[in-house]
Amino acid sequence: MTKVWFITGSSRGLGRSLAEAVLAHGDRVAATARNTEPLNNLLDKYPGQVLPLKLDVTVRNQVHKAVADAIAHFGRIDVLVNNAGVGITGAAEAFTDEQVRSQLDTNLYGPIEVTRAVVPHMRRQQSGRILQISSIGGRVAGAGLSMYQSAKFGLSGFSEALSKEVAPLGIRVTCVEPGGFRTDWAGASMTFAPSVEGYETTVDWMRGFFSGDFVPMGDPAKAAKAMIGLVDHPEPPVHLVLGSEAAGILKLADEARKAEFEKWMSVTLSTDHDDAVNFLDTAAGKALMNLKAIDKR
């Protein structure tokens, strides 16, 4: 059975690679972008399979119109891919108010609103897959990327909570967390805040890294293939890390977090009330564990 995909940010980068791979696979695509002109050649190559839709994910009425238009045209949405996003590098104190809002609007509030618009349709279908294109920066933070990674950490948390809500409805959610891929994320899609004295070895180093000879390891075509396989998997993960770079970063971060957690365990446990018992032995703890069991069905 062919699927209907709704992909944001599909005119370039990873979104474009995914849209092309999905169409070549024989599925249909509601391909959204702020500028749909680069999508016109897909209409000729895949007649009847693609619906270009103008969409700025930061504009609420455009979000709901695009979803409604896709449903009216194709009759359903089987796979939602929240891919639209932009990067920015700078010290936290250096960003303008507009830059902060833009990062949260595009990388967090936008995907949340698109998801909220699509989920009711999937709920009525009793089926659906949602892929949130986050980043390894949604699991591990680095100097110079505080605003971008704040949004991605938020998207990861939203997606994990959502996955627990909608699993009994036949909807599966995966937060896709790539490392560096050979798209224009660190190029045309990257902006910078002004440099601030004192950050030469941290933020400025990161800025130089991105604007210098940085060559990402990830292949967008292979990422697209992995995501097509993901939506057909009966038990998809809630988090999927893509790329050896991302895997290495996460492994080191997890080891450091575990060591810090264990080091401070005595302080952690010291804050319980004197009459407290093991939380997992309480009624609330048992109820929570029951919810976790339901998640895994």
Side-chain angles (χ1 to χ4, degrees), residues 87-130:
I88 193 167
T89 302
E93 66 174 274
F95 296 122
T96 66
D97 290 346
E98 191 282 328
Q99 286 173 326
V100 172
R101 285 193 298 269
S102 176
Q103 281 293 296
L104 295 176
D105 284 346
T106 304
N107 295 329
L108 178 59
Y109 301 147
I112 288 176
E113 191 60 34
V114 175
T115 301
R116 280 165 38 82
V118 171
V119 162
H121 300 283
M122 291 184 170
R123 172 169 51 80
R124 286 189 285 271
Q125 294 168 185
Q126 289 289 294
S127 67
R129 297 297 177 97
I130 299 173

Side-chain angles (χ1 to χ4, degrees), residues 223-281:
K225 181 179 179 181
M227 285 187 276
I228 291 172
L230 180 66
V231 302
D232 289 324
H233 198 285
E235 296 181 359
V238 177
H239 298 274
L240 178 64
V241 175
L242 294 182
S244 60
E245 170 203 343
I249 290 171
L250 182 59
K251 185 174 186 296
L252 290 175
D254 281 349
E255 290 171 355
R257 284 172 179 157
K258 182 178 180 181
E260 182 180 72
F261 174 67
E262 297 292 346
K263 179 179 180 180
W264 288 89
M265 181 63 76
S266 61
V267 177
T268 299
L269 299 180
S270 73
T271 59
D272 281 358
H273 199 282
D274 289 344
D275 64 2
V277 298
N278 186 329
F279 173 73
L280 296 182
D281 291 333

Side-chain angles (χ1 to χ4, degrees), residues 25-107:
H25 186 65
D27 288 343
R28 296 172 290 172
V29 178
T32 82
R34 287 181 296 178
N35 175 18
T36 60
E37 187 175 346
L39 298 170
N40 288 341
N41 62 334
L42 295 179
L43 289 169
D44 297 328
K45 189 173 181 180
Y46 299 101
Q49 285 181 246
V50 58
L51 175 67
L53 293 169
K54 181 178 176 60
L55 174 59
D56 180 339
V57 298
T58 69
V59 181
R60 186 178 186 278
N61 63 347
Q62 288 190 23
V63 168
H64 289 267
K65 184 179 187 305
V67 171
D69 288 348
I71 295 289
H73 185 83
F74 290 123
R76 60 190 292 118
I77 294 173
D78 299 298
V79 185
L80 165 63
V81 183
N82 274 311
N83 167 76
V86 292
I88 193 167
T89 302
E93 66 174 274
F95 296 122
T96 66
D97 290 346
E98 191 282 328
Q99 286 173 326
V100 172
R101 285 193 298 269
S102 176
Q103 281 293 296
L104 295 176
D105 284 346
T106 304
N107 295 329

Side-chain angles (χ1 to χ4, degrees), residues 188-208:
S189 292
M190 176 66 73
T191 57
F192 299 90
S195 294
V196 177
E197 183 181 1
Y199 295 102
E200 291 80 9
T201 61
T202 54
V203 176
D204 289 350
W205 182 90
M206 186 68 76
R207 177 173 183 153

